[in-house]
């Protein structure tokens, strides 16, 4: 004990502590982003982060640099809107190959989607993510929306957006739970077999009108239960099962011997 | 009744009964008033206590009748508001998605009726649900009549009337749902136009005739309105009256049962039993339809939009009773369009649109006459067949139904594809083959099942029901006790008289000269064999006796007698409860 | 057993001598009384149930009237649905109550002894038939028609002819001007601009990007005498494909413009609008019966019940860059008909 007491300076612990603090502080400062200047760094950082995400999740099929492979098309020029739509509805990353990428639970959070979108947007000019005002249903006219929808969309998605069949196992999905932003992005990017509806074909105002129309669908129907909004086939099925079923049941009751 | 002179002079009228209450006096007075002017007493005498047999399946036709009355009642309401005009107007009602949209007055009046008239939507939905149930009930009733052979003499005419009613029902439904002039029904009309144009030589003129010019024209909705509200209902009413008159005239058929024969009717009187049951059933039918109309939306034309030749919706189908036509159109491959010189014959449209329904409907209409020709049976039939005893007919019916179902499924193929995540192209290919394969399989299966059931009936008659009681003899032998049928149960299984294939005179007479008409007779005999060769004959008393005896063994002393069968496994049952009085126990060999 | 029981021969065991050929009808089974027939309390219960059901019906009617006066309609989907459901359920109650009451009454209270009556053959008796025939013969003799063959023919002939007075004008007028040649013409002609459906905006070729589909009507459609009739023939779809993917017949090379092609929207099967464009496979699918056309190969049929490809509209651009037609379609659009090729 007497030996150890004379080897170290009386103030040695203080110096060690100070050095430890300095070391920890430096490491921390070096490895974490400081709040000041975050906005600037978001730009280039997002693209870089997006590139990393892309290489980890997408490049296997879409190729390094997103130039496309035999399995998947090139993403140069599809724009941020396409990425926001595909990844934001869970369609991408695709879980298994098939005729269509179905919507499924979203795999990335909002920040990651934004980063991916920024990266893909940086590869070439393409449609941007619409603003909140552009997709606000309260600013759209449902009557114009229905007229546009009826001519351009109902043949695939059904008159009220309940969904419909295309060839080869592909289907146009039900639109009632799709967000206004995703609706807009789908129109402008034409995902999968869906055609592209640019802003001359369906103007931005008309797109908002379509969103306003779809926003009204899927709720209370004037006549009661909507039976899936699938038309005469489901109505016929219910007429047989419920209508005739109840009536034949009544007939059996009438004809049965009373106890 | 006040004292009135009878028709023969010199006789006195019977002493009048004094009615006890004022209501009864009023009723009696009315009856007297009518009878003095119409002679209605005879009809009342004949009809009031007329007997009708009881069975739930006899009420299927009533479902059709009462849903038709519901259609008439709700339809009158609708005609007060519907405007059958194709003049264009701009919408100014409460439905925001159609504000300012250009549409025909027919469509606009339908919207006004649905949204702004109290009870209007209810009446529309009652009308449409009733139409679907009307057609469903007709088909079900027709199946009952078919499978029980109620179309046999003397009811062939009634079958043809019923068939015509079915076709009129199709016309009424199709014209009715096309009236609102919406995109869905309008595309159906476009398809009808395409079908008609394809008819050789006269097709384009037929199309011009129907639409009063080019499609869609200005005249179609008003014409359909006349067809739907006047012509078809008028014809239906007249034919329904005739249909019911025949049922009264022929008296209703009855299912086989003890006490029921071809020369009697066993049942309950029209007044009061069937007035109450049938009258009550009308209220039940109307009530169920109202229940559906109040809770389940049908034909929401505001979602489809006013008719325009450009838009179309995914999942475009007609009402269910037309699906077999749409399905046939979808399944037909496209290569079969013939061009003869400069003339085009689109068989890819004509075969599914004209030939398939022609064959199906024509076959249905003619079936009673084909079967009568094959059986040579000229007797009147008032006792129904049990389907298992007529295996060929039952199998034909099931296979036609199977074909119909395949076509209905084909008509819904895009909805099936979406729902079950299948390829619409694969479904179409599978159903193309299924249309031929499935009815063939159904025919074979059904016939086998019928014959098996009929054989089972024989077994039950001969050996009784298995009672699940096992008896052990002192000798160590086990057998299951069978309870013999009582005479009422047995009668149902042995009463039928199956038709046997026709016998024809030999080909050559005694001198070896081939007689004329032999080839025709031979063809008829072949047809007859096809229908009636495979059958199961009912058990006769001699066969039952043979089954219950054991031949030489009856005389053997070691045959177990009734007293030896006591002390069974279940304990202490006397021969009486085992049903073994007299005869030896039914030994299962 | 009731008095109408038939004679029943006993079934013997043994060798089968003296047995009838077929079993005999054992006659009606014995009548089984209902609880209500035996127990007055049960009968009273049945009566109460019937009364309650009639009461339910009355409540339903009252409910219906209350709903009719109290619930408004004509505002939005929710209020309309409320009114519809209230009226419907009340009406159902009113009706089902009466129905169930009448049926329960019939089943549990009314006399349920089965009765029997005879059937007679439907055909009239021979005496009646003879008398009927005799009457007809007498009537025919009275008419003097026998031996007057000319009279018979004249009667039949004029009766057969007179319906023409009704049928000819009916058929003749119902078909309007019978101008069936109009099926072979549409509004399209040289220089007519392609415009968007339904807004009517002209389309610049540069705006039609690869992978897009435009629904098109001819300029000036609304001014035509029968706009919907013309639209039913003149609707067109315009798509742009990569020129590398497009396979064109030599004589149709100049019918497209830089990969932009225009085809009739009316299906050649039975006339529905062919509108589903599958961009990646460049197939056009008709939703009615699933006819599928390959846009990259002259819209030939690749699946389904159609036989002929969609007619192509020859297009080009005018000086301002807008898409215009070069002429009408070179064949009748839509479904096939007898003299389509004449």
């Amino acid at each position: 004990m007497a030996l150890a007491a004379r080897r170290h300076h009386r103030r040695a612990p203080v110096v060690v502590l100070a050095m430890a603090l300095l070391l920890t502080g430096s490491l921390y400062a070096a490895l974490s982003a400081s709040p000041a200047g975050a906005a600037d760094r978001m730009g280039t950082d997002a693209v870089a982060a997006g590139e990393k995400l892309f290489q980890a999740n997408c490049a296997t099929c879409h190729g390094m640099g997103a130039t496309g492979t035999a399995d998947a098309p090139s993403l140069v020029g599809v724009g941020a809107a396409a990425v926001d739509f595909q990844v934001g509805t869970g369609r991408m990353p695709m879980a298994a190959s098939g005729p269509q990428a179905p919507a499924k639970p979203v795999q990335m959070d909002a920040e990651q989607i934004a980063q991916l979108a920024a990266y893909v947007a940086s590869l070439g000019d393409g449609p941007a993510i619409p603003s909140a005002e552009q997709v606000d249903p309260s600013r759209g006219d449902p009557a114009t929306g229905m007229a546009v929808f009826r001519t351009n969309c109902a043949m695939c998605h059904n008159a009220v957006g309940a969904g419909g069949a295309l060839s080869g196992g592909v289907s146009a999905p039900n639109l009632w739970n799709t967000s206004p932003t995703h609706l807009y992005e789908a129109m402008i990017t034409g995902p999968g077999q869906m055609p592209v509806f640019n802003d001359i074909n369906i103007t931005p105002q008309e797109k908002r009108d379509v969103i306003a129309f779809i926003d009204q669908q899927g709720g209370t129907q004037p006549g009661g239960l909507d039976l899936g909004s699938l038309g005469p086939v489901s109505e016929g099925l219910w007429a047989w099962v419920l209508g005739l079923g109840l009536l034949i049941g009544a007939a059996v009751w009438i004809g049965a011997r009373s106890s | 009744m006040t004292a009135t002179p009878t028709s023969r002079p010199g006789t006195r009228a019977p002493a009048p009964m004094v009615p006890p209450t004022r209501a009864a006096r009023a009723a009696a007075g009315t009856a007297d008033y009518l009878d003095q002017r119409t002679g209605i007493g005879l009809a009342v005498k004949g009809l009031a206590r007329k007997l009708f047999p009881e069975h739930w399946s006899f009420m299927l036709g009533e479902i059709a009748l009462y849903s038709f009355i519901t259609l008439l009642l709700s339809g009158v309401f609708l005609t007060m508001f519907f405007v059958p005009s194709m003049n264009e107007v701009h919408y100014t009602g409460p439905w925001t998605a159609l504000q300012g949209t250009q549409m025909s007055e027919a469509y606009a009046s339908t919207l006004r009726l649905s949204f702004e008239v109290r009870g209007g939507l209810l009446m529309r939905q009652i009308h449409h649900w009733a139409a679907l149930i009307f057609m469903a009930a007709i088909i079900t009733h027709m199946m009952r009549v078919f499978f029980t052979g109620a179309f046999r003499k003397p009811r062939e005419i009634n079958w043809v009337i019923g068939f015509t009613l079915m076709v009129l029902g199709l016309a009424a439904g199709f014209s009715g749902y096309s009236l609102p002039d919406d995109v869905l029904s309008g595309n159906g009309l476009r398809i009808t136009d395409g079908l008609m144009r394809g008819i050789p030589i006269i097709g384009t003129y037929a199309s011009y005739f129907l639409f009063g010019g080019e499609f869609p024209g200005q005249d179609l909705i008003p014409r359909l309105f006349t067809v739907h509200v006047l012509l078809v209902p008028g014809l239906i009413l007249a034919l329904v009256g005739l249909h019911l008159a025949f049922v009264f005239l022929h008296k209703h058929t009855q299912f086989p049962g003890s006490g029921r024969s071809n020369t009697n009717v066993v049942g309950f009187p029209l007044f009061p039993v069937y007035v109450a049951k049938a009258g009550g059933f009308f209220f039940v039918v109307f009530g169920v339809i109202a229940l559906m109309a109040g809770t389940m939306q049908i034909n929401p034309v505001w979602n489809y939009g006013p008719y325009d030749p450009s838009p179309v919706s995914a999942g475009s189908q007609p009402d269910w009773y037309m699906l077999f036509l749409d399905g046939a159109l979808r399944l037909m491959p496209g290569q079969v369009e013939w061009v003869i010189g400069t003339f085009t014959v689109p068989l890819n449209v004509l075969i599914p649109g004209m030939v398939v329904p022609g064959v199906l409907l024509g076959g249905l209409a003619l079936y009673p006459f084909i079967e009568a020709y094959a059986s040579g049976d000229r007797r009147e039939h008032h006792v129904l067949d049990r389907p298992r005893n007529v295996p060929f007919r039952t199998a034909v019916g099931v296979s036609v139904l199977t074909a119909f179902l395949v076509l209905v499924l084909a008509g819904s193929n895009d909805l099936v594809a979406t729902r079950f995540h299948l390829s619409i192209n694969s479904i179409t290919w599978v159903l193309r083959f299924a249309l031929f394969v499935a009815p063939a399989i159904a025919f074979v299966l059904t016939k086998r099942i019928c014959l098996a059931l009929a054989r089972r009936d024989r077994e039950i008659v001969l050996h009784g029901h298995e009672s699940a009681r096992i008896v052990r003899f002192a000798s160590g032998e086990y057998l299951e006790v069978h309870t013999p049928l009582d005479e009422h149960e047995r009668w149902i299984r042995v009463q039928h008289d199956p038709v046997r294939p026709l016998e024809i005179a030999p080909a050559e007479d005694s001198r070896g000269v081939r007689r004329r008409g032999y080839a025709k007779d031979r063809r008829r005999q072949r047809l007859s064999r096809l229908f009636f060769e495979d059958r199961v004959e009912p058990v006769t008393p001699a066969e039952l006796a043979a089954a219950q005896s054991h031949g030489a063994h009856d005389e053997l002393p070691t045959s177990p007698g009734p007293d030896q069968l006591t002390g069974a496994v279940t304990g202490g049952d006397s021969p009486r409860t085992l049903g073994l009085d007299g005869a030896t126990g039914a030994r299962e060999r | 057993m009731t008095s109408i029981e038939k004679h029943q021969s006993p079934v013997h065991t043994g060798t089968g001598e003296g047995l009838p050929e077929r079993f005999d009808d054992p006659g009606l089974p014995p009548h089984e009384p209902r609880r209500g027939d035996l127990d007055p309390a049960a009968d009273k219960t049945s009566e109460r149930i019937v009364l309650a059901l009639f009461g339910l019906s009355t409540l339903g009617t009252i409910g219906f009237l209350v709903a009719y006066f109290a619930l408004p309609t004509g505002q939005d989907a929710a209020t309309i649905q409320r009114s519809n459901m209230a009226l419907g359920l009340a009406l159902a109650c009113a009706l089902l109550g009466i129905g169930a009451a009448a049926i329960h009454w019939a089943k549990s209270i009314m006399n349920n002894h089965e009765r029997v009556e005879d059937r007679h053959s439907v055909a009239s008796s021979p005496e009646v038939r003879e008398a009927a025939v005799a009457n007809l013969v007498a009537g025919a003799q009275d008419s003097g028609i026998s031996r007057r063959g000319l009279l018979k023919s004249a009667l039949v002939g004029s009766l057969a002819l007179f319906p023409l007075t009704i049928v000819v004008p009916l058929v003749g007028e119902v078909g309007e001007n019978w101008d069936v040649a109009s099926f072979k013409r549409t509004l399209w002609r040289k220089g007519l601009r392609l415009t968007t459906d339904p807004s009517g905006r002209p389309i610049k070729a540069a705006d039609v990007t690869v992978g897009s589909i435009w629904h098109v009507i001819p300029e000036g459609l609304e001014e035509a005498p029968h706009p919907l009739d013309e639209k039913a023939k003149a609707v067109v779809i315009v798509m742009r494909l990569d020129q590398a993917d497009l396979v064109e017949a030599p004589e149709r090379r100049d019918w497209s413009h830089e990969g932009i092609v225009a085809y009739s929207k009316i299906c050649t099967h039975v006339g529905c609008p062919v509108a589903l464009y599958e961009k990646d496979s460049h197939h056009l699918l008709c939703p009615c019966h699933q006819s599928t056309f390959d846009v990259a190969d002259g819209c030939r049929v690749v699946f389904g019940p159609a036989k002929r490809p969609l007619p192509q509209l020859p297009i080009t651009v005018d000086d301002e860059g807008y898409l215009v037609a070069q002429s009408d379609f070179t064949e009748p659009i839509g479904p096939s008909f007898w003299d389509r090729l004449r």
Side-chain angles (χ1 to χ4, degrees):
Chain A
M1 290 298 172
L3 200 62
R6 275 195 294 270
R7 269 214 190 143
H8 300 285
H9 192 274
R10 202 171 48 222
R11 298 226 162 85
V14 178
V15 174
V16 170
L17 193 57
M19 280 172 64
L21 281 169
L22 203 59
L23 185 62
T24 321
S26 317
L27 277 172
Y28 180 81
L31 293 172
S32 74
S34 80
D40 291 327
R41 238 174 266 142
M42 201 50 174
T44 46
D45 273 3
V47 174
E51 186 174 5
K52 289 205 179 60
L53 283 168
F54 187 89
Q55 282 161 359
N57 293 287
C58 322
T60 338
C61 295
H62 284 286
M64 302 297 277
T67 46
T69 66
D71 297 324
S74 161
L75 299 180
V76 175
V78 298
V83 176
D84 187 56
F85 173 80
Q86 296 282 2
V87 186
T89 58
R91 285 176 165 81
M92 290 290 154
M94 210 162 156
S97 61
Q100 185 173 17
K104 55 190 192 309
V106 183
Q107 301 232 20
M108 303 194 182
D109 63 34
E111 192 190 359
Q112 289 172 314
I113 296 175
Q115 288 166 344
L116 258 181
Y119 168 65
V120 172
S122 73
L123 298 173
D125 275 338
I129 298 173
S131 69
E133 193 189 319
Q134 274 181 296
V135 303
D136 182 2
S138 62
R139 290 170 183 264
D141 169 32
T144 314
M146 184 176 182
V148 171
F149 191 86
R150 193 162 59 236
T151 307
N152 292 284
C153 325
M155 62 285 242
C156 294
H157 286 283
N158 161 295
V160 287
L166 302 169
S167 28
V170 178
S171 63
N174 179 302
L175 301 175
W176 297 343
N177 296 319
T178 311
S179 73
T181 310
H182 289 149
L183 284 174
Y184 196 104
E185 289 167 344
M187 283 189 267
I188 197 122
T189 62
Q193 292 278 34
M194 179 168 168
V196 175
F197 294 96
N198 60 37
D199 284 341
I200 318 289
N201 193 352
I202 301 182
T203 63
Q205 178 56 46
E206 285 173 338
K207 287 192 169 75
R208 190 162 58 189
D209 295 336
V210 169
I211 291 168
F213 169 70
I214 292 295
D215 190 60
Q216 283 185 339
Q217 306 310 315
T220 313
Q221 290 289 312
L225 296 168
D226 68 6
L227 309 178
S229 281
L230 295 173
V233 173
S234 64
E235 292 162 4
L237 190 64
W238 283 105
W240 272 93
V241 169
L242 194 64
L244 211 60
L246 280 176
L247 290 174
I248 291 182
V252 172
W253 171 54
I254 296 173
R257 170 179 287 281
S258 170
S259 59
Chain B
M1 279 267 204
T2 54
T4 47
T6 65
S7 54
R8 281 174 296 155
T11 58
R12 250 185 3 177
M17 282 183 351
V18 178
T21 67
R22 203 178 327 154
R25 267 202 300 270
T30 315
D32 180 43
Y33 182 92
L34 278 175
D35 185 62
Q36 291 204 29
R37 287 152 184 77
T38 64
I40 202 172
L42 189 65
V44 171
K45 167 176 170 274
L47 290 175
R49 297 292 279 178
K50 200 165 183 62
L51 296 186
F52 287 88
E54 179 84 78
H55 195 266
W56 68 264
S57 68
F58 296 165
M59 287 182 240
L60 296 170
E62 285 178 43
I63 301 179
L65 176 65
Y66 301 145
S67 47
F68 181 66
I69 297 176
T70 309
L71 284 169
L72 290 177
L73 293 172
S74 54
V76 168
F77 186 94
L78 297 179
T79 56
M80 297 290 132
F81 298 96
F82 178 73
V83 178
S85 160
M86 292 168 93
N87 292 337
E88 300 277 304
V89 295
H90 288 270
Y91 184 66
T92 53
W95 194 253
T96 51
L98 288 166
Q99 269 306 321
T101 308
Q102 194 175 9
M103 55 182 63
S104 61
E105 279 198 74
Y107 189 79
S109 65
T110 309
L111 293 179
R112 180 176 153 247
L113 169 66
S114 303
F115 297 145
E116 299 173 66
V117 174
R118 278 188 210 203
L121 183 60
L122 184 69
M123 283 294 147
R124 254 198 77 222
Q125 304 209 141
I126 285 179
H127 197 75
H128 205 136
W129 281 119
L132 299 187
I133 288 175
F134 177 59
M135 292 310 299
I138 286 182
I139 303 288
T140 316
H141 168 66
M142 182 177 72
M143 288 197 287
R144 196 283 293 166
V145 169
F146 180 85
F147 286 119
T148 54
F151 53 77
R152 293 172 295 170
K153 180 176 172 180
R155 295 178 177 82
E156 305 98 318
I157 300 176
N158 227 11
W159 170 267
V160 174
I161 293 176
F163 167 83
T164 312
L165 282 168
M166 180 178 77
V167 172
L168 285 173
L170 291 176
F174 179 74
S175 57
Y177 72 69
S178 303
L179 285 178
D181 198 26
D182 55 284
V183 168
L184 182 63
S185 63
N187 272 318
L189 286 171
R190 190 94 207 240
I191 294 172
T192 310
D193 182 44
L195 265 174
M196 279 175 45
R197 283 198 201 185
I199 300 172
I201 305 171
I202 58 161
T204 46
Y205 296 99
S207 162
Y208 232 78
F209 175 79
L210 180 63
F211 292 94
E214 291 192 86
F215 181 88
Q218 292 287 314
D219 297 331
L220 182 66
I221 301 295
R223 287 182 186 177
L224 283 179
F225 186 71
T226 307
V227 166
H228 182 75
V229 165
L230 178 68
L231 299 177
V232 171
L235 281 170
I236 291 182
L237 270 173
L239 286 177
V240 161
L242 207 54
H243 199 67
L244 291 176
F246 273 120
V247 172
F248 272 72
L249 179 71
H250 294 148
K251 297 193 177 31
H252 202 285
T253 51
Q254 54 193 357
F255 275 104
S258 40
R260 293 163 165 78
S261 75
N262 217 33
T263 49
N264 71 7
V265 191
V266 177
F268 301 105
L270 177 63
F271 181 70
V273 175
Y274 282 105
V275 166
K277 284 191 174 182
F281 198 36
F282 163 70
F283 285 93
V284 169
V285 169
F286 199 163
V288 165
I289 293 173
L291 187 64
M292 293 176 75
T295 52
M296 293 153 69
Q297 181 166 270
I298 184 169
N299 202 25
V301 290
W302 49 88
N303 286 338
Y304 302 142
Y307 180 64
D308 183 289
S310 171
V312 65
S313 168
S316 281
Q317 273 96 1
D319 274 6
W320 79 264
Y321 42 83
M322 305 291 278
L323 268 179
F324 75 103
L325 274 173
D326 205 55
L329 279 169
R330 291 182 192 215
L331 290 185
M332 183 75 194
Q335 289 82 5
V336 206
E337 181 180 283
W338 289 347
V339 177
I340 312 169
T342 50
F343 295 112
T344 314
V345 183
L347 288 176
N348 58 336
V349 164
L350 290 173
I351 290 179
M354 306 267 156
V355 173
V356 165
V359 165
L360 273 177
L361 294 175
L364 266 177
L366 292 174
Y367 187 84
F369 308 99
I370 300 172
E371 193 182 283
Y373 179 72
S375 68
D377 187 359
R378 295 227 175 98
R379 298 169 291 177
E380 282 183 17
H381 291 278
H382 300 285
V383 175
L384 296 170
D385 285 325
R386 296 174 78 209
R388 67 187 63 184
N389 293 330
V390 277
F392 183 82
R393 181 204 298 157
T394 309
V396 165
V398 170
S399 84
V400 168
L401 272 176
T402 308
F404 184 79
L405 275 172
V406 167
L407 289 177
V408 166
L409 210 57
S412 334
N413 61 357
D414 53 345
L415 295 177
V416 171
T418 325
R419 188 105 188 95
F420 297 105
H421 305 293
L422 299 168
S423 155
I424 214 175
N425 310 76
S426 312
I427 294 175
T428 305
W429 272 111
V430 166
L431 290 177
R432 279 173 174 165
F433 286 102
L435 183 61
F436 299 99
V437 169
I441 295 177
F443 180 89
V444 171
L445 270 178
T446 309
K447 193 161 171 203
R448 292 291 122 200
I449 292 174
C450 285
L451 292 169
L453 285 172
R455 284 191 201 110
R456 174 118 185 91
D457 277 353
R458 277 188 61 97
E459 288 298 302
I460 291 180
V461 170
L462 289 175
H463 303 296
H465 291 297
E466 294 167 358
S467 68
R469 294 219 305 250
I470 313 292
V471 166
R472 188 186 62 191
F473 292 101
S475 58
E477 185 178 354
Y478 286 89
L479 61 76
E480 181 179 15
V481 177
H482 283 227
T483 45
L485 300 182
D486 73 28
E487 53 193 359
H488 301 291
E489 276 184 291
R490 185 176 63 208
W491 173 250
I492 295 177
R493 292 172 173 82
V494 301
Q495 49 76 34
H496 64 287
D497 199 6
V499 177
R500 291 170 190 88
L502 281 174
E503 304 281 337
I504 56 173
E508 300 167 355
D509 66 16
S510 53
R511 277 180 272 170
V513 178
R514 207 166 169 84
R515 68 178 171 86
R516 298 182 72 189
Y518 174 71
K520 181 162 166 281
D521 279 354
R522 186 97 178 90
R523 276 195 297 271
R524 186 174 180 186
Q525 189 189 48
R526 279 211 200 95
L527 184 69
S528 187
R529 285 221 184 108
L530 181 67
F531 271 71
F532 301 112
E533 184 69 55
D534 294 335
R535 66 189 181 280
V536 175
E537 297 280 349
V539 172
T540 60
E543 287 171 333
L544 181 61
Q548 289 186 336
S549 84
H550 307 289
H553 283 196
D554 279 348
E555 318 308 325
L556 291 179
T558 49
S559 300
D563 53 333
Q564 283 196 284
L565 295 175
T566 55
V569 170
T570 50
D573 287 339
S574 72
R576 262 197 312 284
T577 57
L578 287 174
L580 298 172
D581 41 5
T584 54
R587 277 179 97 107
E588 182 63 7
R589 292 257 168 243
Chain C
M1 288 287 188
T2 66
S3 57
I4 54 166
E5 151 195 35
K6 297 240 170 83
H7 170 70
Q8 179 189 353
S9 44
V11 175
H12 302 288
T13 56
T15 53
E17 291 163 345
L19 286 176
E21 214 181 285
R22 301 287 304 275
F23 286 99
D24 277 340
D25 186 345
L28 279 182
H31 173 79
E32 286 160 29
R34 301 167 292 198
R35 244 196 334 248
D37 295 334
L38 303 170
D39 176 9
D43 188 58
K44 203 76 186 130
T45 312
S46 296
E47 190 182 323
R48 285 204 198 97
I49 293 176
V50 174
L51 282 169
L53 288 169
F54 278 126
L56 181 69
S57 167
T58 313
L59 283 177
T61 307
I62 294 171
F64 182 93
L65 293 171
V66 166
Y68 175 83
F69 286 110
L71 290 176
T73 189
Q75 286 151 17
D76 55 20
T79 49
I80 299 166
Q81 190 264 332
R82 210 176 314 136
S83 164
N84 183 66
M85 188 164 78
L87 290 172
L89 289 178
L91 178 62
C93 225
L95 294 165
L96 290 171
I98 297 178
I103 293 166
H104 193 65
W105 184 344
K107 285 184 62 160
S108 51
I109 296 176
M110 287 186 184
N111 183 346
N112 78 334
H113 280 77
E114 278 186 318
R115 294 157 43 105
V116 186
E117 72 183 15
D118 284 333
R119 280 186 206 260
H120 307 286
S121 174
V122 175
S124 336
S125 69
E127 298 80 38
V128 167
R129 286 176 167 212
E130 262 183 59
V133 170
N135 282 347
L136 285 174
V137 167
Q141 276 176 344
D142 281 354
S143 76
I145 201 166
S146 49
R147 295 175 293 110
R148 295 181 212 247
L150 204 56
L151 211 58
K152 265 187 230 163
S153 317
L155 170 67
V156 168
S158 51
L159 274 178
L161 280 176
F162 110 89
L164 286 174
T165 59
I166 304 167
V167 166
V168 167
L170 181 66
V171 171
E173 291 309 305
V174 167
E176 212 205 41
N177 60 9
W178 296 104
D179 179 23
V180 293
S182 59
F183 293 158
K184 300 180 185 169
R185 316 183 283 266
T186 76
L187 266 187
W188 290 108
R189 59 179 195 287
K190 185 177 167 71
L192 195 56
R193 277 190 183 165
L194 280 67
T195 62
T196 54
D197 173 24
S199 40
R201 299 189 292 264
I203 305 169
K204 278 209 168 138
D207 293 334
V208 180
T209 48
V210 173
S212 61
I213 178 169
W214 299 61
H215 298 267
V216 160
I217 46 177
E219 192 171 35
L221 177 68
E222 289 303 315
E223 283 78 52
H226 299 290
L228 273 190
D229 295 0
E230 298 297 340
K231 190 171 184 181
K233 296 184 295 184
V235 275
V236 153
I237 27 179
V238 167
M239 293 141 291
R240 186 176 203 152
L241 278 70
D242 223 314
Q243 279 192 283
D245 294 332
L246 203 52
V247 173
E248 291 178 289
E251 64 273 14
R252 293 197 180 185
R253 283 265 156 71
D254 59 344
W255 286 25
S256 63
H257 176 82
E258 294 177 5
I260 303 175
V261 287
Y263 284 95
S264 166
K265 193 172 172 181
I266 305 302
C267 188
T268 54
H269 178 226
V270 272
C272 276
V274 182
L276 283 80
Y277 182 51
E278 294 168 346
K279 169 192 86 198
D280 284 349
S281 53
H282 43 74
H283 283 171
L284 272 172
L285 174 67
C286 183
C288 290
H289 311 106
Q290 287 80 49
S291 296
T292 314
F293 305 88
D294 187 357
V295 183
D297 193 3
C299 269
R300 68 179 182 86
V301 178
V302 294
F303 185 81
K307 168 80 191 317
R308 292 180 292 102
L310 294 174
Q312 187 173 4
L313 183 70
I315 52 168
T316 185
V317 287
D318 66 9
D319 331 324
E320 297 171 50
Y322 288 106
L323 286 172
V324 295
Q326 292 185 41
S327 68
D328 196 356
F329 290 97
T330 55
E331 53 174 330
I333 57 98
S336 304
F337 50 93
W338 177 248
D339 48 345
R340 197 183 76 86
L341 294 170
R342 286 170 79 79

